[in-house]
Amino acid sequence: MPFMVILLHVFLLTTNILAADEEEVSKWDGKWFPQPPNAPDPNEKIPEVEDAKYPPMGVIDPECDDGKNNLTLDYDPKNVSHSIVHMCLDNYTHYRPNYNTAPVMRIYQIPTAYSAPHRCMGVNITYPENIPTFGPHRALWPQYGEYLYVPVQRWIHSLEHGAIVALYHPCAHEGLTKKLKSLVKACLFRYIITPSERLTPERPFALVAWGKSMEMSVIEDGLVREFIRDNALRGPEMTHRDGQYSEQLIEAAEIVSTKDDENLCPPSHTESNKV
């Protein structure tokens, strides 16, 4: 079927920019790592005192990030311009799924030496991609589960720990949104589910892992399970430890096989009976 076909876009990232001569630079039309030569940094310049602090992973520091206070830079539920990121305002109608729209997969070859920096609250973090799969992030990561909304600056850290992040546009088809949530929750403990305004009407669903994403118009069971089995637990900092950020948490994740997710997407009773 058409929607089973994946359009694969492989974005090769390289740290050898300095070794490339001008001719190679002019011919290259792919992605650069972390950005093209001489391109401006998409993030604000980090003050020297902040850069020197470089907050460690998972350490609660009221002056940097405690997961509870001073969170409004990334997401402020009391700010109308922020709260609409999880509300369907596109004529208040849900997007119709298109079975002729193939999923799109994007793969980023991230150098093993790359270490994503942590940034304290008060320092802005932006991303050049609509759906980033790596990059700078907050020192504290979200507790695993389903949220009313999680800012990207938080769930990027979850990817680093091997989690799968399931995204859906607020205007996505309600039945397919429910199906996506159910599939992910049945596959693993290490997941984050959140709406995202970064998705498009053509493909209002996405699964994200460290260095890889797949955007979809419809939700197909086998494709979702295959992505999770192939890409979960592949982050550079593997830990099942829950995060200390839990703002807007709706439902905490439950253990499916083990807390280490030793068996990803185990067959359900219904699937077993079909075999």
Side-chain angles (χ1 to χ4, degrees), residues 70-91:
N70 303 318
L71 306 178
T72 56
L73 181 62
D74 295 340
Y75 171 67
D76 181 3
K78 296 180 180 180
N79 185 329
V80 175
S81 64
H82 283 207
S83 62
I84 61 174
V85 297
H86 53 76
M87 298 172 59
C88 179
L89 299 179
D90 194 353
N91 296 323

Side-chain angles (χ1 to χ4, degrees), residues 73-217:
L73 181 62
D74 295 340
Y75 171 67
D76 181 3
K78 296 180 180 180
N79 185 329
V80 175
S81 64
H82 283 207
S83 62
I84 61 174
V85 297
H86 53 76
M87 298 172 59
C88 179
L89 299 179
D90 194 353
N91 296 323
Y92 301 97
T93 58
H94 289 86
Y95 302 144
R96 296 177 63 86
N98 186 343
Y99 285 82
N100 292 316
T101 300
V104 172
M105 188 177 294
R106 293 183 171 87
I107 301 174
Y108 301 79
Q109 300 296 341
I110 304 172
T112 55
Y114 173 70
S115 178
H118 298 159
R119 298 288 185 243
C120 292
M121 296 306 304
V123 177
N124 190 39
I125 306 176
T126 60
Y127 302 93
E129 303 291 342
N130 274 350
I131 304 177
T133 63
F134 66 95
H137 50 254
R138 301 306 178 196
L140 302 184
W141 61 98
Q143 179 180 341
Y144 296 119
E146 178 185 351
Y147 286 77
L148 177 67
Y149 181 77
V150 181
V152 60
Q153 294 86 352
R154 292 286 174 182
W155 58 252
I156 285 285
H157 201 154
S158 303
L159 301 181
E160 194 175 35
H161 293 176
I164 292 292
V165 174
L167 306 176
Y168 61 93
H169 194 280
C171 293
H173 185 277
E174 290 181 327
L176 291 178
T177 298
K178 183 178 180 180
K179 183 177 182 180
L180 175 64
K181 293 179 182 180
S182 178
L183 287 168
V184 172
K185 291 177 181 180
C187 272
L188 76 171
F189 165 72
R190 217 173 304 185
Y191 72 79
I192 299 293
I193 298 175
T194 176
S196 174
E197 78 286 5
R198 292 171 171 264
L199 296 162
T200 66
E202 292 75 24
R203 294 179 179 87
F205 302 101
L207 291 172
V208 192
W210 181 258
K212 197 169 185 178
S213 67
M214 182 171 66
E215 299 164 57
M216 304 164 285
S217 177

